Amino acid sequence: MNTIFIDQKEILKRYKYIDKQTHKGIQGHALLIGGSYGKIGSVCLSSKAALKTGCGLVTAFVPKCGYEIVQISIPEVMVLTDVQEKFISNITFEIVPQAIGIGPGIGQERYTQKALHDFLKINTAPLVMDADALNILSLNKSWLSLLAPKTIITPHPKELERLIGTWKSEEEKFEKTKLFSKQYNLIVVMKGAPTHTIDGETIYENSTGNAALATAGSGDVLTGMITSLLAQSYEPVNAAILGVYLHGLTADIALPETGYQSFIASNVIENIGKAYLTLQNAQK
Ligand SMILES: NC(=O)C1=CN([C@@H]2O[C@H](COP(=O)(O)OP(=O)(O)OC[C@H]3O[C@@H](n4cnc5c(N)ncnc54)[C@H](OP(=O)(O)O)[C@@H]3O)[C@@H](O)[C@H]2O)[C@@H](O)CC1
Ligand SMILES: Nc1ncnc2c1ncn2[C@@H]1O[C@H](COP(=O)(O)OP(=O)(O)O)[C@@H](O)[C@H]1O
Ligand SMILES: [Mg+2]
């Protein structure tokens, strides 16, 4: 098996410094599409995480009921709304994002499924798919062929099972996921403890993170972080690997202060800066 252990040394090979002359227009524009009535928090978490991971602009596309929630909870984020009040039914926008993350909290309404299908048919931006976007794909497996090469998917074990079916051993899980990655030319972020990112035959095993991450919304945050890195022009596989590494590192940094139990997804976002600083300090 071709497994690469992703530690700080491997990350420093991939991490890109900020150009002193940069501006928000070239730092990348990320679009996060998600949320439904009662789950607007997920897209708030993804959007804020995207900003804190360094892209220049973030727009959230949410159902109408999410408009004020996103505007008030994260004023830095721009908001576009669907025509429907409680769920997404028609994904249209005039902005040109450098990357899109779709799925957190989006639900599986029939109209949302159709909206996802129509979106996949026309989308050309680098894409991260998570949560209910993956569950919708599991219900409509023929749509997998609509995904552009190197689309990143970020399933937790249950979402992965819905996509590839059950496995009897860890070995079988890896074999089936590699086959799936090759069949559809996808990058699969197999979330777990630890998380493995699979790109065809290559497995990248992450070295950061701990059980404090077992908390609502921590995956939604990861989606925003990887989308942000994609928007900043990281190659998809490097966006996935670096996003997973920084995400885990936030929990390692926060653990002495929060303990396992009181760490929440917002603490991931709060500690992204410190996680980045470990990389900058290591290169001095
Ligand atoms: N504030 C908000 O708006 C939030 C909104 N959110 C949004 O809600 C939507 C539904 O997402 P979801 O992941 O909660 O539901 P679902 O896909 O049924 O999976 C749950 C089942 O999967 C399993 N499982 C999970 N992890 C596992 C592991 N590591 N290892 C093993 N098994 C694991 C476990 O199954 P069990 O073991 O119980 O059989 C568990 O019961 C989605 O759109 C999301 O973005 C949430 O992010 C929360 C915050
Ligand atoms: N025990 C654990 N150790 C390390 N990481 C974990 C652990 N439990 C969960 N995580 C991480 O937390 C995140 C959970 O994602 P997910 O299940 O999608 O959460 P949500 O949908 O609530 O946002 C993943 O990145 C996963 O790897
Ligand atoms: Mg999730």
Side-chain angles (χ1 to χ4, degrees):
M1 215 155 43
N2 185 9
T3 302
I4 300 173
F5 187 66
I6 298 295
D7 55 10
Q8 192 188 64
K9 190 164 150 266
E10 285 294 327
I11 287 294
L12 289 174
K13 291 183 196 166
R14 295 169 167 85
Y15 171 63
K16 293 193 285 197
Y17 269 104
I18 294 288
D19 176 357
K20 286 208 170 94
Q21 300 299 321
T22 194
H23 59 77
K24 67 173 188 256
I26 48 180
Q27 273 301 112
H29 187 169
L31 173 64
L32 277 307
I33 304 172
S36 56
Y37 184 79
K39 288 190 175 160
I40 299 298
S42 57
V43 73
C44 293
L45 290 166
S46 305
S47 311
K48 187 164 182 184
L51 269 177
K52 292 279 275 183
T53 304
C55 61
L57 298 165
V58 174
T59 298
F61 187 97
V62 292
K64 269 207 177 87
C65 68
Y67 180 71
E68 288 185 20
I69 301 168
V70 183
Q71 290 269 262
I72 294 169
S73 56
I74 329 148
E76 295 87 346
V77 167
M78 297 173 280
V79 187
L80 296 171
T81 57
D82 195 271
V83 290
Q84 284 288 337
E85 188 66 29
K86 294 189 173 178
F87 53 84
I88 286 173
S89 67
N90 184 14
I91 302 165
T92 51
F93 48 85
E94 282 167 15
I95 57 170
V96 184
Q98 277 72 56
I100 300 178
I102 188 164
I106 205 169
Q108 297 175 44
E109 276 278 346
R110 192 161 52 90
Y111 292 106
T112 307
Q113 295 195 27
K114 183 179 183 308
L116 180 69
H117 184 239
D118 293 346
F119 165 77
L120 291 176
K121 279 196 294 193
I122 57 161
N123 176 55
T124 53
L127 185 65
V128 183
M129 297 187 76
D130 183 33
D132 284 320
L134 298 179
N135 294 328
I136 292 174
L137 278 183
S138 298
L139 297 173
N140 303 278
K141 294 222 170 71
S142 63
W143 301 359
L144 281 160
S145 60
L146 297 173
L147 302 184
K150 304 299 175 192
T151 294
I152 300 170
I153 65 169
T154 62
H156 65 44
K158 200 79 181 179
E159 289 155 352
L160 184 66
E161 187 189 305
R162 291 174 187 133
L163 280 169
I164 68 169
T166 51
W167 49 82
K168 292 195 191 71
S169 63
E170 277 298 289
E171 200 187 352
E172 192 190 358
K173 178 171 82 173
F174 278 96
E175 281 314 311
K176 286 184 92 164
T177 308
K178 279 199 289 186
L179 272 176
F180 185 79
S181 162
K182 282 190 281 191
Q183 184 179 357
Y184 296 104
N185 201 356
L186 304 175
I187 293 166
V188 185
V189 175
M190 243 171 69
K191 293 189 293 199
T195 290
H196 295 88
T197 298
I198 299 194
D199 184 7
E201 275 299 316
T202 312
I203 300 175
Y204 301 89
E205 181 173 324
N206 187 47
S207 62
T208 58
N210 60 67
L213 290 166
T215 183
S218 65
D220 303 333
V221 169
L222 178 65
T223 298
M225 294 176 74
I226 297 175
T227 307
S228 180
L229 294 166
L230 262 188
Q232 291 169 69
S233 304
Y234 278 90
E235 287 301 315
V237 72
N238 290 335
I241 292 168
L242 177 56
V244 169
Y245 179 88
L246 289 170
H247 179 260
L249 191 52
T250 65
D252 296 341
I253 291 168
L255 193 63
E257 280 188 21
T258 63
Y260 291 107
Q261 291 88 346
S262 83
F263 183 89
I264 59 171
S266 294
N267 298 132
V268 176
I269 297 174
E270 271 166 29
N271 282 285
I272 295 170
K274 283 185 186 158
Y276 266 126
L277 285 173
T278 66
L279 301 182
Q280 281 159 32
N281 293 335
Q283 284 195 326
K284 274 183 189 157

